[in-house]
Amino acid sequence: ILANLFYDVATRTSSSFTAAMERLGGSVIPINEVRYSSVSKGESLPDTVRTLECYADVVVLRHPEVGSAALAAKYAKKPVINAGDGIGEHPTQALLDSFTIKEELGHIDGLTITMLGDLKYGRTVHSLSRLLSLYKAKLNYVSPEILRMPPEIIDELSVKGVEQAEFNTIAPVLSETDVLYVTRVQKERFADLADYESVAKAYVIDPEIMRSAKDRMIVMHPLPRVTEISLEFDEDPRAAYFRQMEYGLYVRM
Ligand code: ASP
């Protein structure tokens, strides 16, 4: 029995964990509307998790605060799976992302992986870059100045000897890229809406721009997509984002 504890909005992650557990023959306690639970009465996260683990064998947690999953795991005796802690990490997404790369391109070592968009608030790229540091991949980070990859992650990967480079535009790196990992600019993370507006449409991947990319490469996205990949590109065989989502189900199983 899986307790699916979601304090934050999620469609894919929540439903894929549910589908994964049900396909394995288990069942799910879905807690999506935390405002209807004891949490809205002021219950702390450690108490909620310690309650749920009396009924469930594993807890999946999505929470708006960085470090929440680590806190829950400290108090819980049963396994806690981090399904996204604010702008922190999204480890199961990183597992399904690396699985996607292997499934689609056969290997990870030797590839050039370009992450594009919101690298500051995008938790998926934080987890993915850390996971990729276990391989011999080259990482390019393309973002507006205010959405750069956090320096602590760049430093952590440098110590491990990962080749990394930062850019403001996609042009210099698109033709060498084997995996283009596009992210959404996360409106909900901006305190100032003007800052969001200034960068929201900075990078749009469309069939025209993709003419300079390799024939054998893939475009990934953790979804949801807003405007950063044009709908016209969806028919291109290199568009791997819906296949990526399906792989996520199997990885979570
Ligand atoms: N679905 C991903 C996440 O939960 C990406 C996103 O929300 O943009 O982090």
Side-chain angles (χ1 to χ4, degrees):
I1 299 178
L2 164 78
N4 223 13
L5 178 58
F6 279 68
Y7 286 75
D8 216 355
V9 283
T11 317
R12 271 149 296 274
T13 307
S14 157
S15 48
S16 76
F17 270 110
T18 300
M21 187 47 115
E22 290 186 354
R23 279 167 182 258
L24 289 172
S27 60
V28 178
I29 304 173
I31 306 161
N32 286 317
E33 299 286 350
V34 168
R35 67 178 183 278
Y36 296 136
S37 78
S38 289
V39 172
S40 61
K41 299 179 191 162
E43 187 174 56
S44 70
L45 177 63
D47 281 5
T48 303
V49 168
R50 281 182 291 194
T51 302
L52 281 171
E53 70 175 351
C54 298
Y55 314 135
D57 304 292
V58 54
V59 177
V60 168
L61 177 68
R62 160 71 57 97
H63 194 282
E65 279 160 37
V66 174
S68 51
L71 178 72
K74 199 175 139 198
Y75 286 91
K77 291 188 194 72
K78 304 269 174 72
V80 174
I81 297 177
N82 181 3
D85 62 329
I87 63 168
E89 298 266 355
H90 198 346
T92 63
Q93 178 78 42
L95 290 170
L96 78 88
D97 290 341
S98 54
F99 179 84
T100 300
I101 299 171
K102 282 192 175 179
E103 196 68 10
E104 296 271 327
L105 298 174
H107 58 99
I108 296 178
D109 285 338
L111 296 183
T112 296
I113 298 169
T114 299
M115 301 181 183
L116 173 79
D118 184 349
L119 308 184
K120 181 179 180 186
Y121 300 116
R123 58 189 162 209
T124 66
V125 288
H126 302 163
S127 289
L128 181 59
S129 55
R130 286 187 164 122
L131 184 51
L132 291 174
S133 74
L134 302 173
Y135 295 86
K136 288 184 177 48
K138 178 182 171 194
L139 303 184
N140 293 320
Y141 306 130
V142 181
S143 71
E145 191 57 33
I146 61 168
L147 298 177
R148 285 169 64 180
M149 183 63 92
E152 59 274 19
I153 295 184
I154 296 184
D155 293 347
E156 187 185 315
L157 269 59
S158 294
V159 171
K160 291 181 169 174
V162 178
E163 194 180 342
Q164 306 170 88
E166 292 188 272
F167 302 87
N168 289 318
T169 61
I170 183 78
V173 290
L174 186 55
S175 62
E176 67 165 27
T177 295
D178 300 297
V179 176
L180 179 61
Y181 193 97
V182 185
T183 64
R184 174 176 71 93
V185 176
Q186 309 206 351
K187 191 174 185 178
E188 68 273 26
R189 312 280 179 212
F190 283 81
D192 185 347
L193 204 62
D195 281 346
Y196 167 76
E197 302 288 354
S198 71
V199 292
K201 301 210 170 99
Y203 308 98
V204 177
I205 297 304
D206 60 21
E208 177 60 29
I209 196 165
M210 287 303 292
R211 283 168 62 179
S212 56
K214 293 178 183 179
D215 286 340
R216 184 153 192 267
M217 59 84 72
I218 53 170
V219 176
M220 296 173 61
H221 193 303
L223 302 176
R225 155 186 51 187
V226 190
T227 52
E228 56 280 356
I229 302 178
S230 81
L231 301 181
E232 291 75 51
F233 184 68
D234 293 355
E235 299 310 315
D236 191 297
R238 296 171 294 180
Y241 26 95
F242 291 109
R243 299 193 293 274
Q244 175 187 356
M245 204 163 39
E246 187 181 339
Y247 297 138
L249 169 70
Y250 305 124
V251 168
R252 290 190 171 115
M253 285 174 76

